[in-house]
C-alpha cells in the first residue's frame, strides 16, 4: 500500500512545512497513526507543532543515528495523539554531507547498485516502520539535491506546494526532474498533485491563470488541487507563535486571539480541512488496484 508521502518543492517559502504539519494533524485527528519526518535542517515542524523547546526536539539526532550510524530509526515521541515525529534540525547537515560524499566516492563505479546505494539509505531506514503507521509524511528541504533524491526514493507519493511566482514554478520543474530520477529506482512513486499557496481568496481570475500555468508545467502528469491555501499572514504568524495548526485554534478557545485573527484562522482552517480531504482522496485513488 502506498502510504509514504513526500512534501517537496525545489524552492523554499512556499508553505511546505505548514502544509505537512496541517495534513499530519488532520490525519491524526481522524484516528490515523501518523509519522511526520522532517528532512530539513531548518526544523520548522517543531515550531509549527509547538515542541521547539521540548524533549521531542532532538534537532535531527535520531535521523543521524539511523542514516549514518545504522541504528534503528526511532521517532522521538508524540506531538499530538496519534502523531509521532522525527524532527529535523541543524544536525541533518551531517546527513547531507554524508550523502554527497557517498555519491562522489562511488560515482565512477560500474556497478549501478554501488553507484546509487546512497539514494536508498532513507528507504532502508524507514522500512521497519512502514507497517507501524497508517501514513508517513516526509517534509523535505528544498535546497539539497541529495536529500530530495533520497527522500523521494523512500516515498510512494509526492505532494508539491507552490506559489504563483516564477521562482516557485522553477522549483516545480527542478523537483519534476528529480522525481524522474527517483522513479528509476522507485517505480511505485507517483505524483499526487500541486497545492497552490498564497492566493488572495477573491482573485479568481489570477487563480485560474496560475492554475493553467502550473498544469502546463506538469504536462498533465498530475492536477493542481481544487482548494488553494489563501494568503493570511497574520493568521499564519498567530498559529506559529502558539505552536498550533489553524484547525486547533478555530474554536476560539484561545482568548488571546484578536477577533480579526480568529476570523482569518477559521478561514485558513477551512482551506486546510478541504485540502486534507482532497489529498486523502488522491491517496485512495493512487492505491486502487494495489490489493
Amino acid at each position: 500500500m502506498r502510504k509514504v508521502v513526500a512534501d517537496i518543492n525545489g524552492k523554499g517559502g512556499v508553505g511546505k512545512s505548514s502544509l505537512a504539519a496541517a495534513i499530519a494533524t488532520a490525519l491524526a485527528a481522524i484516528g490515523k497513526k501518523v509519522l511526520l519526518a522532517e528532512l530539513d535542517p531548518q526544523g520548522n515542524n517543531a515550531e509549527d507543532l509547538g515542541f521547539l523547546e521540548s524533549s521531542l526536539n532532538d534537532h535531527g539526532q535520531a535521523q543521524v543515528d539511523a542514516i549514518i550510524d545504522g541504528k534503528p530509526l526511532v521517532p522521538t515521541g508524540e506531538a499530538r495523539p496519534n502523531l509521532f515525529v522525527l524532527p529535523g534540525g541543524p544536525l541533518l547537515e551531517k546527513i547531507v554531507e554524508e550523502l554527497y560524499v557517498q555519491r562522489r566516492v562511488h560515482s565512477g563505479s560500474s556497478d549501478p547498485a554501488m553507484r546509487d546505494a546512497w539514494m536508498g539509505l532513507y528507504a532502508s531506514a524507514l522500512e521497519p516502520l512502514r507497517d507501524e503507521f497508517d501514513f508517513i509524511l516526509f517534509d523535505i528541504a528544498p535546497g539539497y539535491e541529495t536529500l530530495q533524491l533520497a527522500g523521494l526514493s523512500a516515498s510512494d507519493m509526492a505532494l508539491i506546494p507552490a506559489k504563483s511566482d516564477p521562482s516557485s514554478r522553477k522549483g516545480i520543474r527542478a523537483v519534476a526532474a528529480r522525481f524522474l530520477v527517483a522513479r528509476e529506482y522507485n517505480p511505485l512513486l507517483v505524483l499526487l498533485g500541486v497545492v497552490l499557496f498564497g492566493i488572495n481568496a477573491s482573485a479568481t481570475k489570477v487563480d485560474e491563470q496560475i492554475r493553467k500555468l502550473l498544469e502546463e508545467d506538469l504536462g498533465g502528469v498530475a492536477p493542481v488541487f481544487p482548494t488553494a491555501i489563501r494568503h493570511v499572514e497574520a493568521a499564519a504568524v498567530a498559529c506559529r507563535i502558539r505552536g498550533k495548526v489553524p484547525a486547533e485554534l478555530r474554536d476560539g478557545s484561545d482568548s488571546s486571539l484578536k477577533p480579526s485573527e480568529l476570523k482569518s484562522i477559521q478561514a485558513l482552517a477551512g482551506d486546510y480541512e478541504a485540502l486534507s480531504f482532497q489529498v486523502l482522496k488522491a491517496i485512495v485513488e493512487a492505491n486502487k488496484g494495489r490489493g
Side-chain angles (χ1 to χ4, degrees):
M1 177 179 173
R2 289 186 173 101
K3 61 169 64 177
V4 185
V5 182
D7 176 22
I8 186 169
N9 194 309
K11 177 186 179 299
V14 295
K16 176 181 63 63
S17 294
S18 297
L19 174 66
I23 289 182
T25 302
L27 292 172
I30 61 172
K32 301 298 181 182
K33 189 175 181 182
V34 181
L35 173 62
L36 175 59
E38 184 177 16
L39 279 62
D40 193 332
Q42 288 193 27
N44 288 333
N45 288 166
E47 194 171 4
D48 286 328
L49 294 174
F51 63 89
L52 191 63
E53 303 299 331
S54 84
S55 60
L56 293 180
N57 188 16
D58 70 346
H59 307 287
Q61 185 64 55
Q63 295 186 55
V64 171
D65 290 344
I67 302 303
I68 295 181
D69 297 331
K71 297 178 181 179
L73 188 61
V74 180
T76 60
E78 285 180 274
R80 303 288 190 275
N82 297 319
L83 175 52
F84 293 76
V85 291
L86 269 167
L91 294 178
L92 290 193
E93 294 287 358
K94 296 180 181 180
I95 294 178
V96 173
E97 181 180 356
E98 179 70 14
L99 293 176
Y100 276 113
V101 167
Q102 290 203 26
R103 183 172 72 169
R104 183 171 64 252
V105 168
H106 299 294
S107 61
S109 175
S110 59
D111 181 358
M114 177 66 73
R115 185 186 65 230
D116 302 317
W118 63 270
M119 287 181 60
L121 288 177
Y122 265 99
S124 296
L126 188 68
E127 189 61 32
L129 294 177
R130 284 186 67 98
D131 291 340
E132 186 177 339
F133 293 93
D134 297 311
F135 294 103
I136 299 171
L137 273 70
F138 276 154
D139 180 6
I140 306 178
Y144 303 93
E145 181 187 18
T146 52
L147 204 55
Q148 288 201 336
L149 285 170
L152 285 169
S153 295
S155 301
D156 307 315
M157 300 164 283
L159 192 63
I160 304 177
K163 288 187 175 179
S164 60
D165 59 285
S167 293
S168 186
R169 292 179 59 208
K170 183 178 179 181
I172 289 178
R173 290 191 285 270
V175 166
R178 291 167 190 170
F179 179 89
L180 292 175
V181 172
R183 278 206 66 173
E184 294 180 19
Y185 308 97
N186 180 12
L188 292 181
L189 182 64
V190 296
L191 181 57
L192 294 177
V194 169
V195 177
L196 190 56
F197 265 83
I199 296 297
N200 187 322
S202 62
T204 54
K205 288 187 177 180
V206 173
D207 180 84
E208 290 174 1
Q209 292 171 353
I210 293 167
R211 288 177 182 279
K212 183 178 180 181
L213 289 171
L214 290 173
E215 286 173 353
E216 288 175 358
D217 290 339
L218 291 169
V221 174
V224 178
F225 284 97
T227 295
I229 305 301
R230 71 191 70 199
H231 177 70
V232 276
E233 187 66 24
V237 171
C239 288
R240 180 158 279 186
I241 287 174
R242 290 163 176 80
K244 295 182 181 292
V245 300
E248 296 173 315
L249 292 172
R250 70 190 305 177
D251 64 359
S253 58
D254 188 331
S255 60
S256 67
L257 287 170
K258 299 175 183 177
S260 59
E261 288 178 325
L262 179 58
K263 184 178 179 180
S264 295
I265 286 171
Q266 289 171 337
L268 195 57
D271 289 347
Y272 278 117
E273 183 178 51
L275 176 65
S276 296
F277 174 78
Q278 291 160 15
V279 169
L280 191 55
K281 184 178 178 181
I283 291 173
V284 171
E285 290 294 321
N287 276 297
K288 281 187 175 179
R290 294 198 53 78

